[in-house]
Amino acid sequence: MIDIRSDTVTKPSKGMMNAILNAKVGDDVFGEDPTVNELQERCSKITGKEKALFVPTGCMANQLAVKAHTRQGDEVILERESHILNYETAAPAIISSVQLFAIPGVNGVMDTCEIEKYIRPTDYYFPLTKLICLENTHNRAGGTIQPIENTKAISELAKKYRIKMHLDGARIFNASTATGIPVKEYASYFDSISFCFSKGLGAPVGSILCGNEEFITLAHKWRKILGGGMRQAGVLAAAGIYALDNNVDRLSEDHKKAQYFAKEISQIDGINIDLETVHTNIVIFSSSKYRKQEFISLLREKGVVISSGSFENLRAVFHLDVSMNEVRTAVEKIKEMF
Ligand code: TLP
């Protein structure tokens, strides 16, 4: 089966398994796991933030950020198709009791003036606009990159209104690889940033949340409250360290696979795709011949699994466990359907 549903489906390589096997571990709830501590220090350096906290998932990283930046009844501005709004089971309402204010973006990118329009004036009957969240790369928009000038402008706006900024950087290394802009520079426009080891970086589990000491102290407490205090988590952190050492530079290969796939299927009569949105490893497209589920089922019968995107969209995601030959086969199988 050629599995291009997501870059989350990768399995740890031999080298990564060796790193896991040889990891030095301790009880991380006591702060005594040397490998977790090493990973957290590495991530602080990479992002230029004071502290980092290893967490099981990208969702937990985002939710800890929302929790630590807000108080009950605050408002959070984010993009309408963002992961936090669409795929995190209303957790901001449950965990933080905050209201989400969604602004539609163009390919996942919000307009600065539009954001400013919806920042609440100070009056007792308004919620307090406390946090703005961006997503880079933007998943539902098709792995699109947030332009750095736009991020900078939103960050300046946030400073002006004393609003905190969080970056859901689950795939920030994909953005950084594609643009050449260091992760540290992206991170510099935010109070907090999270990213995942378990997506394009190929680790089985794990994400990181970075920010200043006060923020991470609060996030650490909430990680414990949510049951995310892990013990000998060094076995997982070792996979994260291995991923940073070995799987970052190769992300450009996944971008090439996505480009090839997108260009090939764009030539098929009955496939709708906007090639301009293919910036990294995700390809969003739709079909005028098949309904979404029908397309997915037919292709699965041919040995290729893709996932469902927003609305009638289909999604293919390229990663280190799918070879260029398999990408070619996937294209052939789609062509057979038309
Ligand atoms: N995304 C998953 C699904 O949940 C859609 C995927 O297959 O792409 N932020 C972004 C931008 C993400 O894409 C994801 C996962 C997360 C956060 C959450 O990460 P996990 O799954 O580790 O909680």
Side-chain angles (χ1 to χ4, degrees):
M1 203 56 103
I2 298 171
D3 194 344
I4 44 175
R5 281 172 300 170
S6 181
D7 45 10
T8 58
V9 301
T10 56
K11 302 203 172 85
S13 63
K14 276 216 176 77
M16 189 176 274
M17 286 305 276
N18 266 334
I20 291 171
L21 211 58
N22 294 316
K24 291 195 180 69
V25 295
D27 191 333
D28 183 50
V29 172
F30 296 129
E32 286 172 5
D33 188 301
T35 313
V36 170
N37 292 340
E38 185 188 335
L39 178 66
Q40 291 177 164
E41 278 157 30
R42 285 267 310 256
C43 293
S44 302
K45 284 206 182 83
I46 290 169
T47 58
K49 300 291 179 206
E50 276 171 23
K51 292 275 172 198
L53 183 70
F54 186 51
V55 292
T57 64
C59 286
M60 189 185 277
N62 283 335
Q63 294 309 321
L64 293 179
V66 171
K67 183 73 201 171
H69 284 310
T70 63
R71 292 168 85 172
Q72 184 180 36
D74 285 341
E75 194 162 62
V76 178
I77 291 180
L78 34 60
E79 204 277 323
R80 194 183 62 190
E81 302 304 321
S82 63
H83 196 278
I84 294 177
L85 175 64
N86 290 281
Y87 295 125
E88 299 189 13
T89 54
I94 300 164
I95 298 168
S96 303
S97 305
V98 291
Q99 176 161 288
L100 299 183
F101 192 94
I103 295 182
V106 176
N107 297 329
V109 180
M110 289 185 283
D111 180 72
T112 319
C113 301
E114 230 10 53
I115 295 178
E116 187 163 22
K117 223 163 84 184
Y118 292 107
I119 293 173
R120 304 283 185 175
T122 314
D123 215 319
Y124 77 93
Y125 45 79
F126 288 123
L128 207 62
T129 307
K130 217 32 171 323
L131 179 66
I132 299 172
C133 298
L134 304 192
E135 186 174 312
N136 198 4
T137 63
H138 194 296
N139 184 350
R140 260 159 84 105
T144 51
I145 296 169
Q146 300 283 334
I148 194 85
E149 285 310 321
N150 170 273
T151 298
K152 199 173 160 193
I154 296 173
S155 164
E156 279 161 11
L157 183 75
K159 279 209 181 79
K160 185 172 142 196
Y161 289 93
R162 297 190 179 179
I163 297 168
K164 299 284 183 195
M165 291 272 289
H166 170 68
L167 176 63
D168 174 355
R171 296 185 179 83
I172 193 63
F173 283 97
N174 291 87
S176 173
T177 302
T179 59
I181 298 170
V183 168
K184 199 183 217 162
E185 186 173 342
Y186 280 116
S188 70
Y189 300 112
F190 296 87
D191 298 283
S192 58
I193 171 174
S194 57
F195 63 82
C196 299
F197 302 106
S198 57
K199 303 211 160 51
L201 298 187
V205 178
S207 290
I208 200 95
L209 178 64
C210 308
N212 71 18
E213 188 157 2
E214 196 189 344
F215 166 82
I216 291 295
T217 303
L218 200 51
H220 188 203
K221 189 179 175 73
W222 276 96
R223 186 185 71 173
K224 183 70 181 154
I225 293 169
L226 296 177
M230 299 177 285
R231 300 290 178 176
Q232 285 69 30
V235 290
L236 303 176
I241 294 172
Y242 181 91
L244 291 173
D245 287 338
N246 297 280
N247 292 344
V248 172
D249 291 342
R250 59 151 310 286
L251 287 172
S252 57
E253 292 171 31
D254 299 338
H255 301 172
K256 279 187 202 134
K257 292 171 205 164
Q259 282 297 332
Y260 172 83
F261 179 87
K263 277 195 192 114
E264 286 292 318
I265 65 164
S266 73
Q267 288 157 24
I268 302 172
D269 202 15
I271 290 277
N272 314 310
I273 181 169
D274 179 0
L275 289 177
E276 295 292 308
T277 65
V278 186
H279 296 174
T280 55
N281 67 327
I282 302 180
V283 178
I284 300 281
F285 60 100
S286 65
S287 160
S288 41
K289 183 172 175 190
Y290 302 100
R291 298 306 302 262
K292 176 157 81 172
Q293 282 312 327
E294 197 186 1
F295 190 108
I296 293 172
S297 304
L298 282 173
L299 193 57
R300 182 181 268 272
E301 280 167 25
K302 291 175 177 290
V304 181
V305 267
I306 60 169
S307 57
S308 154
S310 52
F311 317 113
E312 268 305 298
N313 287 332
L314 297 152
R315 185 180 80 144
V317 188
F318 298 89
H319 53 77
L320 78 177
D321 280 355
V322 62
S323 68
M324 195 58 209
N325 266 343
E326 287 174 315
V327 178
R328 283 192 199 99
T329 307
V331 166
E332 286 315 310
K333 297 295 171 192
I334 293 175
K335 283 183 178 167
E336 281 173 18
M337 287 168 55
F338 288 82

